[in-house]
Amino acid sequence: MSGILDGKRVLITGVLMESSIAFHAAKLAQEQGAEIILTAFPRPTLTERIAKKLPKPTKVIELDVTNDEHLGRLADIVGEELGGLDGVVHSIGFAPQDALGGNFLNTPFESVATAMHVSAYSLKSLTMACLPLMQNGGSVVGLTFDAQYAWPQYDWMGPAKAALEATSRYIARDLGKQNIRCNLISAGPIGSMAAKSIPGFSDLAAVWDDRSPLEWDLKDPEPAGKGIVALLSDWFPKTTGEIIHVDGGLHAIGA
């Protein structure tokens, strides 16, 4: 039986640990028939070690999404490896420590600018770097953390995710004529490396214990990975500019 990504070529960012959503997206994508390539920064060797746990071998390339030189050479490197692309997964987010953990009112602009550049503007940068390889259309999928609300400890990553969500809509608008879709998965909290870097992350995650209609497991990134693979597939051919919640339903529940 064929997979829903048979024949698809997908670039995936953000594979840092087995516990990361991006790792499970990569694993599921391979299981569903895709050829994939991974990017990593700042330690490609770490991603190379994790990549050995995927069902099939895959190439890892260094990519700093704030580095114009890295972005400029990306299409050539990926093109040599895969020939083209049908999908891109943006699983990139970063904020300096002084932009997190209850320091919202005291965070300097330099730290805010870094969070915005890496976490939001990079969706546009990455998409445009890959655009020459997506001659037959394709799907761009990013990861957000519901930016409708002010979350405990999340601070400037909240506005950064709001900017990411808006950026996705504008990419959807401007690339729709090229049959390129851009959507986001809004995932519940996962105990990944990125999450563990947030001071007081346990306070944020505890919200799910009380309010999520479906039981939420911090140790299970697979549901979000499945959401990514579904959006990469042809099963959402006319869906773009959308945010799909994979959060146990918490987004629908009031206090």
Side-chain angles (χ1 to χ4, degrees):
M1 186 174 179
S2 61
I4 63 172
L5 295 186
D6 270 0
K8 301 289 188 188
R9 299 155 298 176
V10 181
L11 179 144
I12 300 176
T13 67
V15 175
L16 295 175
M17 302 171 66
E18 276 190 89
S19 60
S20 67
I21 293 172
F23 175 85
H24 285 264
K27 177 176 179 288
L28 291 163
Q30 286 189 333
E31 290 172 352
Q32 291 298 318
E35 290 184 81
I36 69 170
I37 191 167
L38 305 180
T39 74
F41 188 80
R43 294 173 59 194
T45 54
L46 176 62
T47 298
E48 286 169 357
R49 288 200 297 271
I50 298 299
K52 291 177 181 178
K53 299 181 180 182
L54 291 169
K56 300 176 185 177
T58 184
K59 185 178 180 67
V60 177
I61 58 177
E62 183 180 26
L63 175 65
D64 174 1
V65 288
T66 68
N67 185 313
D68 289 340
E69 182 180 342
H70 284 200
L71 291 164
R73 69 191 186 204
L74 183 64
D76 288 340
I77 296 172
V78 176
E80 288 179 8
E81 188 73 16
L82 298 181
L85 282 174
D86 305 288
V88 176
V89 176
H90 179 280
S91 180
I92 301 169
F94 171 77
Q97 283 296 300
D98 61 356
L100 298 164
N103 197 47
F104 185 85
L105 297 178
N106 299 310
T107 303
F109 177 72
E110 291 77 12
S111 296
V112 174
T114 297
M116 292 290 179
H117 193 173
V118 178
S119 307
Y121 184 80
S122 65
L123 178 64
K124 192 278 295 188
S125 302
L126 179 64
T127 301
M128 294 306 293
C130 293
L131 189 61
L133 300 171
M134 302 178 78
Q135 295 299 310
N136 298 315
S139 175
V140 178
V141 185
L143 279 167
T144 189
F145 190 75
D146 202 330
Q148 298 179 85
Y149 308 106
W151 296 103
Q153 312 300 327
Y154 207 50
D155 291 356
W156 281 100
M157 276 302 293
K161 289 298 188 183
L164 174 73
E165 292 175 8
T167 300
S168 177
R169 289 189 287 270
Y170 278 91
I171 292 172
R173 181 195 70 178
D174 289 353
L175 294 184
K177 291 180 180 178
Q178 298 179 53
N179 197 32
I180 292 174
R181 298 169 282 128
C182 188
N183 297 288
L184 300 177
I185 292 291
S186 181
I190 296 294
S192 63
M193 181 180 290
K196 291 174 182 176
S197 69
I198 301 172
F201 173 75
S202 59
D203 294 338
L204 188 157
V207 176
W208 265 255
D209 293 336
D210 299 327
R211 291 176 50 201
S212 177
L214 297 175
E215 184 178 358
W216 187 255
D217 185 353
L218 288 170
K219 298 177 181 178
D220 186 9
E222 189 172 78
K226 286 182 175 179
I228 291 171
V229 168
L231 286 172
L232 288 171
S233 79
D234 294 330
W235 285 92
F236 283 88
K238 299 300 178 184
T239 297
T240 195
E242 185 60 273
I243 300 173
I244 304 294
H245 289 82
V246 183
D247 66 348
L250 185 137
H251 71 280
I253 304 301

